[in-house]
Amino acid sequence: MKALVLSGGAGTRLRPFSYSMPKQLIPIANKPVLEYVVGNLREIGVTEIGIIVGDRAEEISDVLGDGSALGVAITYIPQHAPLGLAHCVKIARPFLGDDDFVMYLGDNMLVEGISEIADEFAAVRPSAQVVVYKVPDPRAFGVAEVDENSRVTRLVEKPQEPRSDLAMIGVYFFTPLIHRAVDAIEPSWRGELEITDALQWLVTHERDVRARIYSGFWKDTGKVEDVLECNRELLQRLRTDIQGVVDEESSLIGEVVVEEGARVVRSCIVGPAIIGAGTLVEESIVGPYTAIGADCRITESGVSDSIVLSGAFVHNVSGIETSLIGRKARVGSAKQHRLVVGDDAHVEVAA
């Protein structure tokens, strides 16, 4: 089996960060989302991964390289315009060949992995298998209607009156028959080749399309609030690991990771929290559910329930909470509760 990972979207809901970095590279618990995706694929035995990339291809390849450091082989497949998920399958055909494959949206976090779902697909091998999640309001999703045997009877994109609460969440398993379906469909009103239409073509032609409910933690990391929620979830799984330096005047409470080269000076770190390599935390309080990236400086400040990206400098800010601070951003002075600060920004917070 191969994998097709989609990483070409613009990430408009994650601005200002997506102006300066692909949304799939936003770090959660100090690791880019795409690395979690690749890790999930490697766990099910997939080592050949095609990644659909747009105009941020170079930034993605700079982080993932050829995949060898992650135990996989990566092929980059350019998509010159966002023409739909089924269009991604179409342009990836030379890479996919006649192999079964899993298609995975690169901004989706399925924290418990997809091993059981992959095993089920391999055992039953339907024409397609969609991963679904029960949501309270299905109107924002592609929705699968299923029978008592989990066979899909109909797929509807963003229904106004949904007859099912099973939303498709961005992981699909396919046999090569999907290529026939993609070739048979026409662009939607949006001018895109919709994967929902290709799946519906299979259903209409009485092919076996199954739905598998995912019961673990799932988030589409398209919004700041979702990124922070994922960060909380992953940090709960931390185990204390001190590779850096913590002086005698500092205290660590709970599960805390201090990476190599990091220094904690006259400070208190309340876990779960992670302090990135080369970072200085001095005369500060880092509260729970906080991930501070590499080479940051946090001085005379308080930060909790937040993500601070690499190279940021926070000084004399007493109450940063539920915030996302970009790479090399500078934030200083007075009191603030919630910040969303883009890369390279310089913010002096008024009292």
Side-chain angles (χ1 to χ4, degrees):
M1 180 182 286
K2 292 178 180 176
L4 185 64
V5 176
L6 311 188
S7 300
T12 55
R13 294 177 298 160
L14 204 52
R15 289 173 179 167
F17 301 97
S18 55
Y19 283 126
S20 54
M21 69 189 302
K23 61 178 179 176
Q24 298 86 3
L25 295 183
I26 289 287
I28 298 178
N30 282 11
K31 189 165 77 172
V33 172
L34 270 180
E35 286 195 24
Y36 292 104
V37 171
V38 171
N40 282 353
L41 293 170
R42 190 181 59 245
E43 284 179 2
I44 65 171
V46 173
T47 57
E48 294 181 75
I49 300 175
I51 299 185
I52 300 289
V53 289
D55 57 5
R56 315 300 284 273
E58 186 175 348
E59 294 169 77
I60 291 173
S61 64
D62 283 347
V63 171
L64 299 183
D66 64 2
S68 57
L70 300 172
V72 299
I74 292 176
T75 298
Y76 294 97
I77 303 167
Q79 186 186 36
H80 300 295
L83 297 176
L85 304 190
H87 180 259
C88 293
V89 174
K90 195 179 191 73
I91 64 175
R93 181 67 191 274
F95 166 76
L96 296 168
D98 292 324
D99 291 316
D100 293 351
F101 67 99
V102 53
M103 184 169 77
Y104 202 130
L105 271 60
D107 56 0
N108 274 235
M109 290 286 291
L110 287 80
V111 172
E112 278 76 25
I114 56 173
S115 296
E116 290 185 8
I117 301 171
D119 290 345
E120 183 177 301
F121 174 76
V124 178
R125 201 169 178 264
S127 298
Q129 180 169 284
V130 299
V131 180
V132 296
Y133 193 88
K134 291 190 174 186
V135 297
D137 185 2
R139 291 175 296 176
F141 299 89
V143 173
E145 298 175 12
V146 303
D147 66 14
E148 65 276 7
N149 297 312
S150 297
R151 285 187 171 88
V152 176
T153 58
R154 190 168 77 127
L155 295 133
V156 185
E157 188 67 30
K158 299 179 181 177
Q160 287 305 301
E161 297 182 3
R163 296 193 294 186
S164 165
D165 62 354
L166 300 178
M168 294 186 289
I169 61 171
V171 179
Y172 311 80
F173 289 83
F174 293 122
T175 64
L177 188 60
I178 191 64
H179 299 297
R180 183 177 168 190
V182 168
D183 288 342
I185 64 174
E186 298 291 333
S188 68
W189 64 271
R190 299 189 297 181
E192 298 183 5
L193 289 175
E194 310 281 0
I195 200 65
T196 305
D197 291 343
L199 287 162
Q200 184 60 51
W201 187 93
L202 293 175
V203 171
T204 300
H205 288 78
E206 299 183 344
R207 304 293 183 168
D208 187 10
V209 178
R210 305 273 180 127
R212 175 61 149 80
I213 296 175
Y214 184 74
S215 56
F217 181 89
W218 162 77
K219 277 292 175 184
D220 168 357
T221 57
K223 297 186 293 186
V224 169
E225 294 80 5
D226 296 329
V227 169
L228 290 171
E229 187 173 348
C230 283
N231 192 59
R232 295 181 201 110
E233 179 69 23
L234 287 167
L235 288 179
Q236 289 185 53
R237 300 157 191 259
L238 277 186
R239 293 295 177 266
T240 295
D241 184 14
I242 310 301
Q243 299 293 326
V245 174
V246 180
D247 75 357
E248 293 182 354
E249 297 180 65
S250 297
S251 59
L252 306 181
I253 302 170
E255 304 293 342
V256 176
V257 170
V258 180
E259 294 183 347
E260 186 175 357
R263 292 185 297 141
V264 178
V265 179
R266 297 187 299 279
S267 297
C268 177
I269 314 295
V270 182
I274 182 168
I275 311 299
T279 283
L280 170 66
V281 178
E282 185 174 23
E283 297 184 350
S284 296
I285 299 173
V286 175
Y289 303 108
T290 300
I292 297 177
D295 302 316
C296 296
R297 292 180 62 198
I298 312 295
T299 58
E300 301 177 34
S301 296
V303 185
S304 66
D305 192 19
S306 297
I307 298 174
V308 181
L309 275 62
S310 61
F313 176 35
V314 178
H315 173 69
N316 191 29
V317 185
S318 61
I320 295 177
E321 300 174 1
T322 59
S323 298
L324 184 51
I325 297 174
R327 297 172 298 181
K328 298 182 180 178
R330 297 173 61 86
V331 181
S333 85
K335 181 178 180 181
Q336 184 69 19
H337 292 292
R338 187 177 188 278
L339 294 169
V340 177
V341 182
D343 290 356
D344 297 299
H346 186 175
V347 179
E348 292 290 333
V349 183

